[in-house]
Amino acid sequence: MKRYVLYRDTSVKKVTIDYEKELNHEQLKVVTHREGPVLVIAGAGSGKTRVVTYRVAYLLENGIPAQNILLLTFTNKAAREMLHRVEHLLKMDTRYIWGGTFHHIGNMILRSHADLVGLNKAFTILDNEDAKDLIEIVLKDMGLSGKEMRFPKGTVLKEIFSYAVNTMSSIEEAIIERYPYFIHLKDEIEAVHENYAKKKRQTNAVDFDDLLYFWHEILRKHEDLRKFYAKKFTYILVDEYQDTNKIQAEIIDFMGMLNRNVMVVGDDAQSIYSFRGANFQNIFDFPKRYTDCTIYKLETNYRSTPEILTFANESISHNKKQFRKNLRSVKPSGISPVVTSLRDVIQQAEFVAQRILELRDEGVPLNQIAVLYRAHYHSMEIQMELTRRDIPFEIRSGLKFFEQAHIKDVVSFLRVMVNEKDEISWKRLLKLFPKIGKKTAEHIFDHIVSAEKPIDLFIDGRIGSSFKKIGRDTIEIWANLFSRLKELKEKEAPAEMITTVIMTVYNDYLKYNYPDYESRLEDLSQLTSFASKYHSLENFLSELSLMSGISGEEIIYPGVHDERVILSTIHQAKGLEWKVVFIVWCAEGRFPNSKSLDEDGVEEERRLFYVAATRAMDELYICYPMLYYEKQVGHIILRPSRFITELDPTVYEEWDVSESL
């Protein structure tokens, strides 16, 4: 097969793009690179997508056939937009370029060689919901499902299996690293994984992770195909390389082993997805795996003011593992980033809301303002304050705080203590227990609704005589739980009631039903702290109902049409930008997260802080509360995040607003 080399045949091809005019000098070097592996460290806001697009156009203009170019992106939308842009630049068809996600390309290759892995080429691809359902079928076949026993649900098992594939780990290693509380079920989980694989083969189906696994297996085991694809793709481009996992990196190495024209583009300073299996070492070790690679840095930033970039550069400079760079702005000077300490989370929310209203009056559209946070629960008080002030908002990090399933589950126990005829809450909480599905929950409710005091049926155990199939353990749990809740209701102690529900039944339920168990537990901890401010259960529940029923998303502020402030976790905000950004809860132990305080963990948390800061175009506000109240221990003094205290004080301005709100 012919190997194509840049500049071999350019005399017969008319160049239509003035690259020197369209690109800055940093971008031009990357786009016009000739042969050999390339690592492009593309700083935030430096035109990374533009560089990849023009690189593809440059290859085509210099005689590289479209079918010999492989473009790997993290969304199919990104690939389509890049290739559409190339078509616009060159007025030529790009349909023969192999462009798309790893899974998309893996599917194309697997369709051609399905027989090598025991599949028919007409195999079905299971989406995540389908995969979860198939795992549930396997659990049922093995006698591990249903309400009779505690065993991880299909969603949780799917995450374990996926993590193992993407990190090229064993099931045992995946459990130890991500789900250590399931180590006592290791043998059973491994058996489920084996039977799940058999079931997929029987039904001629693959899940998303199989597309990578089998692609890797085909290349690893079949030297002829490994050489075929390595010859076919004379130029390989990989976008967002810092987000690749171990199996993806090995696939790229296989595909580029002969021509070695592998160009990976990314930013080590924006590697923030280790919890998904992304491997920071891929980008950091690229020059070790490709010792002849050329490293280019894109340091010209088109997004942020010089002051914001000085702040961000100073912050990330504290990381030891990095490709050092210094982002430079093309924008005129602006205002310095602001660091402000607030009395508590309530005043923090008040400050953010008040400043948003001021910015709106200054002409900044609401949809150009974002509030970013490390964890979803950090947004709770912000959501409440924006709602109180009729400021419309959109949540990019999931459901509104009080509408999340785990919040509603726990609150349902409190609701029935106030209203014993609450059908929705009874049916919701009953289904959390073993051997109780939808129909049984309906039967139990129909039985208790006519009782004068339904709660007493659970406290004295009489409910067990009417429903013989419900286990003795569940009857005892009900008796203890509702007895304790009744005592706490009389004391008007909603926070203690929430803690009781969590410790008695809900902690284990979370572990076995949700892959993000720890994140949801943090949400519930925040709910408990919020409840501790109330000395009336009815007032607490009324406040929750009002916060859920009147949403800032449904309010249209006069004259702003559909504009909404954006609330988002930093992970969800990567790749986006706003004129004004608030980063909240920047207190030690919250950001960085207290569970990420080893060296690698802190460095990823600092990269997350860097990502948040570089989302801001014109104004950046860093906020942290000084006090936090927990019912059990009282007021906790919070220290500012190390990501603030380690900075040179000249890179930001301090505001004292404690007396002005």
Side-chain angles (χ1 to χ4, degrees), residues 131-149 151-154 157 188 191-193 195-196 199:
K132 184 264 294 182
D133 290 345
L134 191 60
I135 293 172
E136 295 283 1
I137 291 172
V138 171
L139 290 174
K140 185 175 182 181
D141 291 344
M142 296 177 65
L144 296 172
S145 67
K147 296 286 183 176
E148 290 77 16
M149 63 177 298
F151 198 79
K153 295 296 184 284
L157 293 169
E188 291 89 342
V192 172
H193 181 252
N195 288 334
Y196 173 54
K199 182 71 76 172

Side-chain angles (χ1 to χ4, degrees), residues 254-289:
F254 279 142
M255 301 289 276
M257 59 181 280
L258 294 182
N259 289 305
R260 295 180 58 77
N261 291 320
V262 178
M263 177 177 285
V264 299
V265 184
D267 184 4
D268 59 296
Q270 297 186 67
S271 178
I272 58 174
Y273 294 118
S274 64
F275 67 96
R276 293 181 187 170
N279 190 345
F280 172 78
Q281 290 298 130
N282 287 349
I283 191 167
F284 195 67
D285 290 344
F286 188 85
K288 298 176 184 176
R289 300 202 312 279

Side-chain angles (χ1 to χ4, degrees), residues 377-389:
Y377 77 84
H378 290 165
S379 70
M380 187 180 76
E381 290 83 7
I382 306 286
Q383 292 183 42
M384 295 176 66
E385 188 63 24
L386 295 180
T387 301
R388 289 194 185 104
R389 299 200 188 201

Side-chain angles (χ1 to χ4, degrees), residues 349-378:
E350 291 172 350
F351 167 73
V352 171
Q354 182 61 38
R355 186 66 190 124
I356 286 172
L357 291 176
E358 293 168 356
L359 289 163
R360 178 185 169 271
D361 290 342
E362 293 168 13
V364 180
L366 291 180
N367 59 8
Q368 283 298 313
I369 302 172
V371 182
L372 305 182
Y373 33 84
R374 172 64 180 84
H376 188 41
Y377 77 84
H378 290 165

Side-chain angles (χ1 to χ4, degrees), residues 101-261:
T101 64
F102 281 87
H103 296 92
H104 174 72
I105 302 301
N107 175 51
M108 293 172 66
I109 289 177
L110 192 53
R111 294 285 176 191
S112 298
H113 310 290
D115 59 308
L116 296 178
V117 293
L119 292 167
N120 182 295
K121 67 178 180 180
F123 60 79
T124 299
I125 299 176
L126 305 172
D127 63 21
N128 288 327
E129 188 67 21
D130 294 333
K132 184 264 294 182
D133 290 345
L134 191 60
I135 293 172
E136 295 283 1
I137 291 172
V138 171
L139 290 174
K140 185 175 182 181
D141 291 344
M142 296 177 65
L144 296 172
S145 67
K147 296 286 183 176
E148 290 77 16
M149 63 177 298
R150 287 287 190 192
F151 198 79
K153 295 296 184 284
T155 304
V156 179
L157 293 169
K158 177 69 181 68
E159 288 297 311
I160 294 173
F161 302 161
S162 180
Y163 189 81
V165 170
N166 289 298
T167 58
M168 301 184 74
S169 306
S170 68
I171 296 298
E172 180 178 6
E173 290 168 336
I175 293 172
I176 291 171
E177 186 167 345
R178 294 294 303 279
Y179 302 91
Y181 40 85
F182 290 144
I183 194 62
H184 65 290
L185 297 172
K186 176 186 74 71
D187 293 342
E188 291 89 342
I189 292 173
E190 288 176 338
V192 172
H193 181 252
E194 185 178 336
N195 288 334
Y196 173 54
K198 289 178 182 177
K199 182 71 76 172
K200 285 185 290 183
R201 288 185 181 279
Q202 290 169 5
T203 56
N204 197 42
V206 300
D207 60 28
F208 288 146
D209 298 308
D210 290 328
L211 296 174
L212 299 184
Y213 176 78
F214 287 130
W215 181 7
H216 182 273
E217 285 293 278
I218 287 168
L219 297 178
R220 183 177 70 86
K221 292 182 177 179
H222 301 276
E223 184 180 4
D224 56 334
L225 289 176
R226 187 164 67 244
K227 289 182 177 179
F228 170 79
Y229 284 109
K231 288 179 180 178
K232 173 178 174 58
F233 294 113
T234 50
Y235 287 90
I236 298 173
L237 296 91
V238 186
D239 191 22
E240 302 286 10
Y241 188 70
Q242 78 280 346
D243 295 334
T244 54
N245 55 46
K246 187 173 182 181
I247 196 169
Q248 289 168 333
E250 288 203 4
I251 287 170
I252 294 165
D253 291 346
F254 279 142
M255 301 289 276
M257 59 181 280
L258 294 182
N259 289 305
R260 295 180 58 77
N261 291 320

